[in-house]
Amino acid sequence: MLLILLGLVQGLTEFFPISSSGHLVILEHFLDINLPGAAFEAFLHFGTVLAVIILFKNDIKKILLSFLYSFKELSHGEKLNKIFKNNPFSKLSWFLIISSIPAAIIGFSLNNYFEALFDEPIITSFMLSVTGVIIWLGNKIYKGGNKNIVKIDYKDAMIIGLAQAFAIIPGISRSGMTVVAGLSRKMTREFSAKYSFILSVPIILGATAFKLKEIIFLDINFFILSLSGIAATLSSYGAMKIFFGILKKGRMYYFSYYLWFISALTIYITLFTGRN
């Protein structure tokens, strides 16, 4: 039952800007769950990717086909900028790749360091408060703009990619950082969230593939593991729908108060009750 609960928490927290990795670290620590954290989390992340694919299946299909189309046009001597102008989804496909590069490089090269942070709930708790500050300030300062799939540029993709790389740290929200980055680049609120959600697909699939061997040999009943993944998928789908509504109303800062509360509570428990 606890593993299914972790799947539910993973799904809700992956697309709410409150850090799924941070919540899993804290829950596993305080519930005394002895799990190979990074491998199990990678499996749950795969469950959240399924939710993204289901919700944005039409967009993802266009992105994949447009990416192949761009290669065909390039082979015929067409200029990339012209391809982007004629087919905005081709541009989006390339920009998603650009946004994925920083996290892929940092995650691969510093994998052992970041895995060690999964055993440090006090650091994770502090990072939750950092996420809260960034979301609160971002919500107040950046109101978004009118940039959409047609108007985004290379700089937008790179800045969002760097924001995603920063979120490799447990306690730093990937969705929170990338959405705030999108708003800072004058993207519309809806497109900023959509870009953030679809951007999770390549980086999570990459992380899942990287951990595939460990996932296969997880010492967890397959049926329970599957239910955990399903819970992550269903809760992720609902979380994305809810987050869209909250973001459109400009109320993302609500999550900051929750993050500060959880951060303060876990730091207090760790430091002053001997629960470490």
Side-chain angles (χ1 to χ4, degrees):
M1 241 354 244
L2 285 176
L3 298 185
I4 298 173
L5 172 62
L6 289 177
L8 181 65
V9 170
Q10 165 67 38
L12 289 173
T13 56
E14 177 65 35
F15 297 112
F16 285 159
I18 54 178
S19 179
S20 60
S21 60
H23 279 72
L24 286 180
V25 168
I26 290 169
L27 281 176
E28 290 177 21
H29 180 76
F30 290 109
L31 293 178
D32 286 326
I33 303 174
N34 186 21
L35 292 174
F40 180 66
E41 186 188 359
F43 177 79
L44 295 185
H45 270 99
F46 181 72
T48 67
V49 161
L50 293 180
V52 177
I53 293 172
I54 293 169
L55 184 60
F56 298 106
K57 57 182 181 296
N58 292 330
D59 289 299
I60 292 174
K61 180 180 179 181
K62 289 179 182 177
I63 289 168
L64 292 174
L65 292 176
S66 296
F67 183 67
L68 296 175
Y69 163 81
S70 68
F71 267 105
K72 178 182 177 182
E73 292 299 298
L74 284 171
S75 68
H76 292 161
E78 194 63 81
K79 299 291 185 181
L80 198 57
N81 285 339
K82 187 174 181 181
I83 296 173
F84 288 172
K85 185 176 181 180
N86 294 335
N87 187 336
F89 276 94
S90 288
K91 177 170 69 172
L92 181 58
S93 68
W94 283 85
F95 283 7
L96 288 168
I97 293 173
I98 291 172
S99 294
S100 300
I101 291 173
I105 293 174
I106 294 173
F108 180 78
S109 59
L110 299 176
N111 177 62
N112 291 336
Y113 172 76
F114 288 114
E115 279 199 14
L117 292 180
F118 280 85
D119 296 321
E120 301 292 341
I122 192 70
I123 295 176
T124 299
S125 299
F126 175 73
M127 289 301 170
L128 288 176
S129 67
V130 172
T131 295
V133 171
I134 293 173
I135 289 174
W136 193 88
L137 290 174
N139 188 87
K140 295 296 182 181
I141 297 171
Y142 305 121
K143 304 300 181 182
N146 62 355
K147 275 188 179 179
N148 53 25
I149 189 174
V150 175
K151 297 180 179 180
I152 56 173
D153 56 35
Y154 292 99
K155 190 174 181 180
D156 300 329
M158 183 54 68
I159 288 175
I160 293 173
L162 291 173
Q164 177 170 253
F166 178 51
I168 293 176
I169 302 171
I172 300 296
S173 167
R174 193 204 65 82
S175 62
M177 296 305 100
T178 52
V179 168
V180 168
L183 295 177
S184 75
R185 298 299 301 166
K186 305 298 182 182
M187 289 184 181
T188 67
R189 290 173 178 172
E190 182 175 1
F191 184 65
S192 183
K194 181 182 288 190
Y195 192 98
S196 170
F197 295 159
I198 295 177
L199 178 60
S200 71
V201 175
I203 197 67
I204 292 177
L205 287 180
T208 303
F210 186 67
K211 292 290 182 183
L212 186 59
K213 184 177 179 180
E214 294 178 41
I215 292 172
I216 292 174
F217 292 104
L218 278 173
D219 188 22
I220 301 173
N221 179 278
F222 179 76
F223 179 70
I224 298 297
L225 191 63
S226 299
L227 289 181
S228 301
I230 292 171
T233 300
L234 294 177
S235 55
S236 291
Y237 188 91
M240 284 188 286
K241 288 282 192 178
I242 294 170
F243 184 58
F244 264 119
I246 293 173
L247 187 62
K248 286 180 180 179
K249 294 176 182 178
R251 296 174 180 172
M252 189 167 64
Y253 66 91
Y254 283 179
F255 294 105
S256 297
Y257 303 129
Y258 167 79
L259 286 165
W260 292 331
F261 171 76
I262 292 296
S263 175
L265 179 63
T266 53
I267 289 174
Y268 172 80
I269 293 173
T270 302
L271 294 180
F272 299 107
T273 68
R275 188 74 170 86
N276 50 48

